[in-house]
Amino acid sequence: MKLITAIVKPFKLDDVKEALKGAGVQGITVSEVRGFGRQGGHTETYRGAEYNIDFVPKVRLEMVVHDDDVEKTIAALRGAASTGKIGDGKIWVTNAERIIRIRTGEEGSDAL
Amino acid sequence: MTIDSGATAWVLVSAALVLFMTPGLAFFYGGMVRSKNVLGMLMQNIFAMGLISILWATVGFSLAFGGSGKYFGNFDFMFLKDVANIPNLPGYVDDFALIIPPLAFVVYQMMFAIITPALITGATADRMKFSAYCILIGVWAVVVYPTVAHWVFSPNGWLFQEGALDFAGGAVVHINAGAAALAVILVLGKRRGWPREAMPPHNLPYTILGTGILWFGWFGFNAGSALGANGLAAQALINTQLAAASGMIAWLIIEKIKAGHATTLGAASGAVAGLVAITPCAGFVGGMAPIAIGAITGFVCYLCLTLKTKFGFDDSLDVIAVHLVGGLAGALLLGLFADTAINGLGADGLFFGGGASLLGKQALASVATFAFSFVVTYVVAKILNATIGIRVSPENELVGLDQSQHAETAYQA
């Protein structure tokens, strides 16, 4: 079991969701977050005064998948979230030691 | 005195329109502050509607429009004594005779007295104690506002008699409030972190909503000041519309050139600048003059935005750049564009064959208003600061006015 976390541009969320469904991902958790990477922030101007906004809005998706499905999930994420411009986001994969369905107590792949 | 029913109806409606400007102002400013201070801003404005209504009826109106003194009113109309039954207010005779009941005039002028000190809140945003604010505007509404209103609006006032023109309150409202705002912030000091930290507006849709309410209410402010339902009211109304429009467009053009984008805050600010400038002029100019007045003022106000960083005073929401500078611009431009063909009780400005005489009177009224308001407000703020203190503690400023002054939160998570 792997936990895949992806940070993507907010306007790509719908495309990413469809692509992940297409790749067989069973569930996604989405949060609205702010942050910066190599893209940095942006500037906003209010009545002529420029402000640097360091943290830009992003969407974080989290999903747990079978080890075998990691590559196609990553491919789906990259395919849908990429614009080719700086600030497209990141994906990272970590081990998920246990996964438990709260209602039934099922564990492992049964719980996905 | 003959009461005209059409005029009375229009002035009564205008009173309601002008009242509505204060909550409009609350949202105009409220959108521009940080979210932890939005209730503090709304409260300061809405509370002016409570406090000053009472003060106006008990003493303010009498000090502004009572008696025949040149410099001050008197106490004849305290608690509105006799106002319902007198034939004419002092000075309002012959050409200036009212055709509306004096009580309609009282309530109409009350709304001006409310919004004027409320304008100060934009400069003092995010850091003033609510208690000190209440006392400050209370004193101001009794000492400063009625005095300037008497000088400029009352036919017995010295600036009125000098021949200075102010149709709806360029000096009485905007220069007066702008000068007071400058005085208070010099005592109050800068917001913590200004100008190093970014303090962007938290809700520009509120600001746009507030702008719409202000613009709408301004028809009552300017066209209502005709004190009649007549051609002059119509002239003032179209002038108001055109100046707001050209102020907006001018601001957006210079903003686009200098900062790269036409912004919603710029559109709102430019419209308000145009409205401020046309306020003294509304019933004295005609033709396409309001377009010039709004546009020139839009440009000038935009260019004055940088004054606060240059001189280091934290005029948080640009009351000085928009209301003081806009009010001054309107007062002086009236000296150029005034036309007796529009209003025989006015005068001709420089461009209409009147020479520089009116311009000089406009400058005198502007300087006198600025000086009186600034000095008295500064002294009052200094005294308050030395006694109860006018600024919230650093902790309370950090937490925000909403929690520290009112124990409330605007937006529940």
Side-chain angles (χ1 to χ4, degrees):
Chain A
M1 293 294 153
K2 300 286 186 196
L3 168 67
I4 300 182
T5 306
I7 307 290
V8 304
K9 287 183 168 166
F11 80 98
K12 281 291 189 181
L13 179 60
D14 266 348
D15 293 349
V16 169
K17 178 192 70 185
E18 292 307 323
L20 289 171
K21 276 186 181 169
V25 175
Q26 299 282 328
I28 317 168
T29 304
V30 174
S31 15
E32 291 176 1
V33 294
R34 296 184 308 146
F36 67 87
R38 276 202 277 177
Q39 177 195 10
H42 64 270
T43 58
E44 295 184 1
T45 312
Y46 296 100
R47 282 185 174 160
E50 267 199 8
Y51 293 120
N52 289 313
I53 308 295
D54 291 328
F55 299 114
V56 293
K58 295 285 170 186
V59 168
R60 180 176 60 203
L61 302 102
E62 289 160 303
M63 65 220 83
V64 179
V65 300
H66 280 293
D67 291 5
D68 299 345
D69 294 336
V70 169
E71 288 312 317
K72 73 173 179 186
T73 306
I74 290 173
L77 275 165
R78 284 200 60 210
S82 174
T83 65
K85 295 199 192 96
I86 194 164
D88 275 351
K90 290 214 174 17
I91 301 166
W92 59 89
V93 182
T94 48
N95 280 319
E97 279 187 18
R98 291 177 70 189
I99 170 163
I100 301 113
R101 173 169 283 121
I102 289 177
R103 176 170 52 86
T104 58
E106 291 163 289
E107 292 216 18
S109 52
D110 292 338
L112 277 188
Chain B
M1 177 176 59
T2 328
I3 300 291
D4 181 282
S5 62
T8 305
W10 170 234
V11 173
L12 292 174
V13 170
S14 290
L17 285 168
V18 179
L19 173 73
F20 196 39
M21 290 173 72
T22 297
L25 185 71
F27 275 86
F28 179 70
Y29 285 158
M32 278 188 257
V33 298
R34 290 164 291 171
S35 55
K36 62 184 177 182
N37 295 312
V38 59
L39 293 176
M41 177 56 76
L42 298 181
M43 180 66 164
Q44 289 185 2
N45 281 275
I46 209 91
F47 185 70
M49 292 160 64
L51 179 64
I52 294 171
S53 302
I54 306 295
L55 291 174
W56 187 252
T58 49
V59 60
F61 175 76
S62 188
L63 290 173
F65 294 100
S68 53
K70 280 179 78 167
Y71 300 103
F72 300 99
N74 66 13
F75 296 101
D76 285 354
F77 298 140
M78 266 181 82
F79 308 108
L80 300 184
K81 185 168 162 287
D82 300 332
V83 176
N85 305 313
I86 51 171
N88 252 320
L89 293 171
Y92 286 85
V93 291
D94 303 329
D95 285 346
F96 306 110
L98 295 174
I99 53 170
I100 58 171
L103 276 181
F105 184 73
V106 170
V107 73
Y108 180 62
Q109 289 294 334
M110 176 190 282
M111 306 315 175
F112 287 64
I114 291 169
I115 195 169
T116 305
L119 288 168
I120 299 170
T121 60
T124 59
D126 301 2
R127 59 202 189 279
M128 191 161 182
K129 267 195 213 168
F130 183 62
S131 56
Y133 166 80
C134 294
I135 298 171
L136 181 90
I137 65 159
V139 173
W140 204 85
V142 172
V143 178
V144 180
Y145 184 83
T147 306
V148 176
H150 186 76
W151 292 357
V152 177
F153 281 163
S154 167
N156 289 328
W158 72 280
L159 288 170
F160 189 100
Q161 292 184 350
E162 286 288 334
L165 300 179
D166 187 358
F167 194 71
V172 175
V173 175
H174 298 287
I175 297 174
N176 200 2
L182 182 59
V184 180
I185 57 176
L186 291 181
V187 178
L188 190 58
K190 307 164 194 177
R191 286 169 294 176
R192 302 182 75 76
W194 185 87
R196 186 173 30 81
E197 255 172 56
M199 299 177 182
H202 91 285
N203 190 335
L204 284 178
Y206 276 177
T207 299
I208 305 301
L209 174 71
T211 304
I213 296 173
L214 282 170
W215 191 328
F216 174 76
W218 227 296
F219 293 133
F221 205 89
N222 288 354
S225 289
L227 299 176
N230 49 28
L232 189 61
Q235 181 71 60
L237 201 145
I238 190 163
N239 286 348
T240 303
Q241 180 70 8
L242 292 177
S246 66
M248 177 196 286
I249 292 168
W251 186 297
L252 290 176
I253 289 172
I254 190 168
E255 183 178 49
K256 172 74 183 163
I257 293 168
K258 292 196 62 130
H261 292 87
T263 66
T264 55
L265 182 57
S269 309
V272 171
L275 288 163
V276 169
I278 202 64
T279 296
C281 311
F284 297 116
V285 303
M288 296 297 109
I291 298 181
I293 291 166
I296 292 167
T297 306
F299 275 121
V300 171
C301 289
Y302 183 88
L303 295 173
C304 287
L305 290 174
T306 52
L307 289 178
K308 62 177 182 181
T309 32
K310 228 168 259 169
F311 292 102
F313 58 87
D314 182 9
D315 174 18
S316 310
L317 312 180
D318 303 304
V319 177
I320 288 143
V322 176
H323 292 277
L324 178 58
V325 172
L328 286 169
L332 298 176
L333 288 169
L334 182 54
L336 308 182
F337 289 104
D339 182 357
T340 47
I342 300 299
N343 185 342
L345 296 178
D348 282 316
L350 189 64
F351 296 167
F352 288 85
S357 148
L358 178 61
L359 190 59
K361 293 167 187 170
Q362 295 303 103
L364 171 70
S366 302
V367 169
T369 301
F370 178 90
F372 179 75
S373 176
F374 181 87
V375 170
V376 175
T377 311
Y378 189 81
V379 169
V380 173
K382 271 283 185 194
I383 293 171
L384 278 177
N385 203 32
T387 49
I388 61 167
I390 62 173
R391 187 165 177 141
V392 297
S393 68
E395 297 88 324
N396 285 347
E397 190 175 341
L398 201 70
V399 169
L401 297 183
D402 298 6
Q403 277 186 39
S404 73
Q405 304 299 295
H406 309 295
E408 291 174 299
T409 301
Y411 311 103
Q412 303 297 340

